[in-house]
């Protein structure tokens, strides 16, 4: 049996929560978006009240070589200015307990602070997620934090008396009898049972201070936290939150700003930035590495060439990481890159299937700008083409890290701006071949998947070509931007051969009826007008309405000549070929 790297320390909820509140235990999730739903927090307390196990907590005794860098986590004043231990597993559970029991605010997915309000009914011994109805019901303690804080402030007796008096007043107003002695005793017992949760036992494992980052990272990645698998990204964010607070704060602000429309910020219409995106970008730009496992090695001072660790290397790596992060979060760089993405037709997150395409294309953009000094116009053009290709061809899906690592290896032999551009052009050409447009792409358009890079590429191509909506006059792009929809969508995804119409001819599965080649975007009025009409009927109306421009509309939207008279499967096959050629046409424009 090998030497155990951990010690089993039986703990009570009150000890763990107290240690978090005073800063002895560092809990980075108090600074990151809290992913649990409130009903899951309610279920956690219900399980404890019933005596069910709620899992274990794993702590890491902070390494001594970082003593001078540790900082307090969270905004409240703490006794410990630096954490003595980090939570490796159980972060969500501890965050839920601290927040619900003592009113400590958490952040939602938009990085706004919010309170987790779990209510408790002492008469029926039940928990519930706070609602307005519960708030008005005197039987319910609106927030269990009121009970725990009352005990902490030595005012629990007054709290209980006020609760009973309030409930009696409510009953009097309804002409109902006041609480009986038995009900008063029940309330006292059940409030004490709630407070007794502080003594609930939680198995706690402490990883020893002597464990190195590889040991801790392996443990971190392998353990399972409340059904949510931990990964290298969680581990890196934990290290940054504790040891590089200024870096952590900048990352948090950039991510928060990306979600809130405002000029002069990281806000964009392409994607909401998460910390892991920024970590990947910084490691890619600074170290030409794609695998997150390298990030924590680098941040702990490993020389990837020699495999050795040192304080000097750690300082150098951290400086490189910080410099790269500054360039990644430079708003001029960020928005210039986003302009390249929009120029490729991808003006909205609604048509981007992979965030990796954004992340790693941005890395290439920064490498081209900062290292190879590619001229702005030339760089913007090649990155627009690159993003167009990578988004459509699934370049950054599957074994993404392996593919990008290979790309970084190739770039070691690239030394000038012309060579950098030529390298990207060569890779684009190797994927955008005649066979791709004539065979592969039409086959990829043979899908009913709601998330299809090929379909999104077709939409992006129409935007590149500034194509008006079918039977309309306005370009598609403006309808995909935020703020154009009221209570109804300004545009709708419409079946060219309507579903009800197809059902009459034996096409009863969505796999057949929802083929992407059977879709087009229509404005709201046109969509209502066409409704479930057969193609023969509605096409006759629009031929008469549009006159000579009808043919152009069909060509712009890849509708075969006299398509309304075609067999449905024949129509799909012909339209897929035309859609693939339209994508090729858009690429040639780029």
């Amino acid at each position: 049996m090998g030497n155990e790297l951990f010690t089993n320390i039986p703990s009570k909820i009150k000890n763990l929560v107290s240690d978090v509140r005073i800063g002895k235990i560092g809990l980075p999730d108090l600074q990151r978006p809290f992913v649990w739903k409130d009903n899951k927090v309610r279920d956690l307390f219900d399980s404890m009240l019933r005596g069910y196990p709620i899992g274990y907590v794993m702590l890491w005794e902070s390494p001594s070589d970082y003593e001078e860098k540790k900082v307090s986590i969270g905004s409240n004043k703490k006794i410990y200015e630096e954490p003595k231990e980090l939570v490796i597993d159980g972060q969500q559970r501890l965050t839920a307990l601290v927040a619900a029991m003592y009113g400590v605010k958490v952040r939602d997915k938009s990085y706004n602070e919010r309170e987790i309000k779990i209510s408790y009914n002492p008469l029926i011994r039940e928990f519930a997620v706070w609602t307005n109805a519960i708030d008005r019901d005197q039987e319910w303690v609106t927030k269990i934090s009121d009970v725990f804080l009352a005990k902490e402030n030595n005012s629990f007796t007054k709290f209980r008396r006020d609760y009973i008096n309030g409930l009696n007043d409510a009953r009097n107003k309804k002409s109902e009898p006041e609480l009986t002695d038995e009900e008063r005793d029940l309330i006292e017992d059940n409030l004490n049972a709630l407070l007794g949760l502080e003594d609930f036992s939680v198995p706690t494992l402490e990883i020893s201070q002597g464990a190195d980052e590889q040991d801790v990272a392996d443990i971190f990645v392998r353990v399972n936290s409340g059904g949510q698998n931990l990964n290298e990204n969680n581990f890196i964010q934990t290290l940054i939150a504790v040891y590089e607070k200024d870096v952590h704060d900048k990352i948090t602000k950039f991510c928060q700003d990306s979600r809130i429309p405002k000029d002069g910020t990281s806000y964009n219409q392409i994607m909401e930035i998460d910390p892991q995106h920024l970590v990947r970008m910084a490691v890619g730009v600074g170290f030409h590495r794609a695998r997150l496992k390298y990030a924590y090695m680098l941040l702990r001072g490993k020389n990837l060439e020699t495999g050795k660790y040192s304080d000097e290397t750690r300082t150098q790596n951290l400086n490189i990481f910080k410099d790269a992060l500054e360039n990644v979060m430079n708003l001029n760089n960020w928005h210039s890159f986003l302009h390249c993405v929009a120029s490729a037709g991808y003006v909205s997150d609604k048509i981007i299937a992979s965030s990796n395409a954004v992340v790693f294309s941005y890395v290439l953009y920064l490498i081209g700008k900062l290292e190879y000094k590619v001229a702005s116009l030339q760089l913007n053009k090649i990155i627009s083409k690159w993003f167009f290709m990578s988004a459509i061809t699934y370049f950054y899906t599957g074994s993404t890290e392996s593919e990008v690592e290979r790309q970084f290896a190739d770039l070691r032999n690239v030394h000038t701006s012309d060579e950098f551009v030529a390298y990207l052009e060569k890779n684009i050409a190797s994927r955008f071949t005649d066979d791709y447009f004539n065979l592969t792409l039409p086959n990829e358009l043979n899908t009913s998947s709601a998330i299809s890079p090929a379909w999104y590429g077709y939409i992006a191509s129409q935007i590149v070509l500034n194509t008006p909506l079918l039977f309309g006059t306005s370009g598609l792009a403006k309808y995909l931007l935020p703020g154009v929809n009221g209570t109804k969508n300004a545009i709708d995804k419409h079946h060219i051969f309507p579903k009800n119409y197809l059902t009459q001819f034996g096409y009863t599965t969505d796999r057949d009826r929802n083929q992407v080649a059977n879709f087009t975007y229509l404005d709201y009025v046109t969509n209502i007008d066409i409704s479930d009409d057969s193609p023969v009927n509605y096409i006759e109306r629009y031929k008469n309405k549009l006159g000579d421009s009808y043919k152009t509309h069909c060509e712009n939207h890849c509708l075969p000549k006299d398509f309304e008279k075609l067999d449905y499967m024949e129509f799909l096959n012909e339209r897929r070929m035309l859609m693939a050629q339209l994508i090729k046409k858009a690429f040639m424009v780029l």
Side-chain angles (χ1 to χ4, degrees):
M1 179 176 176
N3 293 328
E4 293 182 347
L5 294 177
F6 62 90
T7 303
N8 189 353
I9 307 172
S11 300
K12 303 288 187 182
I13 290 292
K14 62 183 177 184
N15 302 128
L16 292 170
V17 170
S18 174
D19 284 350
V20 170
R21 294 178 70 202
I22 66 176
K24 182 179 178 183
I25 292 178
L27 185 58
D29 272 16
L30 290 175
Q31 296 291 84
R32 298 200 289 256
F34 183 65
V35 301
W36 273 18
K37 302 292 185 183
D38 285 1
N39 60 356
K40 191 167 183 179
V41 180
R42 175 205 62 206
D43 292 345
L44 176 68
F45 281 93
D46 183 67
S47 294
M48 292 164 59
L49 196 62
R50 294 171 183 269
Y52 299 166
I54 61 168
Y56 62 90
V57 171
M58 185 175 291
L59 306 175
W60 179 24
E61 189 180 1
S62 297
S64 57
D65 59 348
Y66 265 140
E67 281 295 325
E68 77 284 358
K69 303 203 71 178
K70 292 183 292 187
V71 295
S72 176
I73 295 175
S75 57
N76 56 316
K77 296 294 183 181
K78 297 181 172 67
I79 296 173
Y80 284 80
E81 290 301 320
E82 55 191 38
K84 301 301 181 184
E85 297 167 313
L86 305 181
V87 182
I88 296 302
D89 189 27
Q91 291 188 4
Q92 294 284 293
R93 286 191 295 275
L94 275 182
T95 301
L97 291 168
V98 173
M101 292 173 70
Y102 293 98
V104 177
K105 291 184 178 180
V106 298
R107 295 178 184 270
D108 62 19
K109 65 179 181 179
S110 296
Y111 283 81
N112 296 317
E113 284 193 336
R114 72 176 184 90
E115 191 175 0
I116 298 176
K117 293 189 281 190
I118 303 301
S119 304
Y120 181 65
N121 189 322
L123 280 170
I124 59 176
R125 197 181 168 100
E126 284 188 5
F127 293 101
V129 175
W130 178 92
T131 64
N132 285 322
I134 284 176
D135 199 35
R136 294 189 296 268
D137 190 336
Q138 292 297 319
E139 282 195 6
W140 287 86
V141 174
T142 303
K143 299 181 295 183
I144 61 173
S145 58
D146 292 339
V147 183
F148 289 101
L149 289 172
K151 179 189 176 184
E152 185 172 82
N153 296 327
N154 297 315
S155 59
F156 174 68
T157 300
K158 180 179 182 301
F159 175 89
R160 183 180 68 239
R161 184 171 58 248
D162 290 345
Y163 169 80
I164 291 174
N165 290 337
L167 185 49
N168 278 332
D169 289 343
R171 289 190 172 188
N172 288 331
K173 291 178 182 178
K174 298 177 183 177
S175 299
E176 296 176 353
E178 292 190 353
L179 293 165
T180 65
D181 289 341
E182 288 78 8
E183 286 176 318
R184 287 171 177 263
D185 291 341
L186 182 63
I187 288 170
E188 182 170 1
D189 289 344
N190 287 338
L191 285 175
N192 286 330
L194 174 63
L195 291 174
L197 296 182
E198 288 186 320
D199 291 319
F200 192 89
S201 297
V202 179
T204 304
L205 306 176
E206 184 177 74
I207 303 174
S208 68
Q209 188 180 58
D212 62 28
E213 90 293 328
Q214 184 65 55
D215 293 325
V216 178
D218 285 345
I219 294 170
F220 193 92
V221 172
R222 293 184 188 195
V223 297
N224 191 23
S225 179
Q228 180 184 352
N229 289 325
L230 301 170
N231 53 43
E232 290 97 339
N233 168 60
N234 302 124
F235 184 67
I236 294 163
Q237 288 188 55
T238 296
L239 290 178
I240 293 175
V242 177
Y243 301 127
E244 299 297 334
K245 187 175 184 300
D246 59 330
V247 175
H248 175 264
D249 290 346
K250 289 179 181 178
I251 289 175
T252 298
K253 186 178 187 307
F254 194 92
C255 294
Q256 182 176 0
D257 288 350
S258 76
R259 290 155 167 77
I260 306 169
K262 187 178 179 182
D263 290 339
T265 71
S266 59
Y267 175 74
N268 67 94
Q269 296 143 5
I270 304 302
M271 67 185 293
E272 293 182 342
I273 299 296
D274 288 328
Q276 66 170 313
H277 297 141
L278 297 178
V279 170
R280 281 193 182 277
M281 292 169 181
V283 172
V285 172
F287 301 98
H288 288 201
R289 295 286 183 171
R291 300 186 192 280
L292 281 178
K293 73 175 185 179
Y294 292 126
Y296 61 75
M297 294 179 183
L298 291 163
L299 295 179
R300 289 299 308 280
K302 184 174 184 177
N303 183 315
L304 296 183
E305 301 299 325
T306 65
K308 296 180 179 180
Y309 291 85
S310 69
D311 291 342
E312 181 182 0
T313 302
R314 183 177 66 205
T315 301
Q316 291 173 351
N317 287 348
L318 183 59
N319 288 335
I320 292 172
F321 179 82
K322 286 181 176 180
D323 289 343
L325 194 61
E326 287 293 329
N327 284 312
V328 165
M329 296 192 297
N330 179 291
L331 293 181
N332 291 328
N333 293 337
W334 177 234
H335 287 292
S336 293
F337 165 73
L338 291 177
H339 180 71
C340 298
V341 175
S343 296
Y346 290 86
V347 297
S348 166
D349 59 356
K350 296 182 180 69
I351 56 173
I352 292 180
S354 169
S355 61
N356 281 336
V358 179
V359 169
F360 289 115
S361 293
Y362 186 37
V363 170
L364 279 179
Y365 173 86
L366 289 176
I367 289 174
K369 177 178 180 176
L370 302 173
E371 295 184 30
Y372 292 101
K373 312 296 182 184
V374 181
S376 295
L377 290 178
Q378 190 179 24
L379 180 62
N380 292 347
K381 182 175 182 179
I382 189 61
I383 293 299
S384 291
K385 292 166 66 176
W386 177 267
F387 188 85
F388 188 84
M389 178 281 295
S390 64
I392 293 173
T393 63
Y394 310 79
F395 186 87
Y396 291 115
T397 57
S399 302
T400 302
E401 291 184 340
S402 297
E403 187 65 41
V404 179
E405 288 288 343
R406 182 195 62 77
Q407 195 171 57
F408 284 146
D410 290 344
L411 288 176
R412 293 171 194 156
N413 299 316
V414 173
H415 306 291
T416 68
S417 61
D418 288 342
E419 289 177 357
F420 177 78
V421 173
Y423 171 76
L424 295 186
E425 292 278 17
K426 180 181 177 181
N427 274 270
I428 294 170
S430 70
R431 283 168 170 76
F432 272 0
T433 63
D434 288 340
D435 281 348
Y436 177 78
F437 289 111
N438 295 331
L439 300 173
T440 304
L441 185 53
N443 186 57
E444 290 175 350
L445 287 164
N446 185 1
T447 179
S448 60
S449 172
I451 301 176
S452 167
W455 163 256
Y456 291 156
Y458 169 71
I459 298 302
S461 298
Q462 289 194 310
I463 293 171
V464 169
L465 298 171
N466 198 27
T467 304
L469 289 174
L470 180 62
F471 306 147
T473 57
S474 299
L476 174 58
K478 80 170 193 175
Y479 292 101
L480 292 176
L481 298 176
V484 301
N485 295 320
T487 56
K488 297 286 187 181
N489 287 333
I491 56 171
D492 291 297
K493 204 171 164 189
H494 184 82
H495 291 80
I496 298 169
F497 280 68
K499 290 180 71 172
N500 289 341
Y501 171 80
L502 289 173
T503 302
Q504 301 172 27
F505 294 91
Y507 296 103
T508 58
T509 67
D510 285 343
R511 173 69 179 84
D512 289 332
R513 296 179 302 192
N514 288 347
Q515 285 288 307
V516 297
N518 191 33
F519 282 126
T520 190
Y521 277 111
L522 297 176
D523 63 56
Y524 177 67
V525 174
T526 305
N527 188 38
I528 293 298
D529 177 64
I530 292 176
S531 188
D532 287 334
D533 276 2
S534 71
V536 172
N537 288 340
Y538 74 74
I539 286 304
E540 189 63 29
R541 293 203 304 275
Y542 281 92
K543 277 184 178 178
N544 295 331
K545 179 181 178 180
L546 297 171
D548 293 340
S549 67
Y550 169 77
K551 180 180 178 183
T552 302
H553 273 274
C554 289
E555 290 174 350
N556 287 342
H557 291 271
C558 304
L559 297 175
K561 182 179 180 181
D562 297 328
F563 75 91
E564 71 276 15
K565 301 175 184 177
L566 293 176
D567 170 78
Y568 177 58
M569 288 299 172
E570 183 181 357
F571 159 75
L572 292 178
N573 288 331
E574 290 194 24
R575 188 165 190 245
R576 290 178 192 125
M577 295 298 296
L578 293 173
M579 292 168 74
Q581 292 307 307
L582 184 131
I583 293 173
K584 181 178 182 180
K585 179 180 178 181
F587 174 68
M588 298 308 294
V589 169
L590 290 176

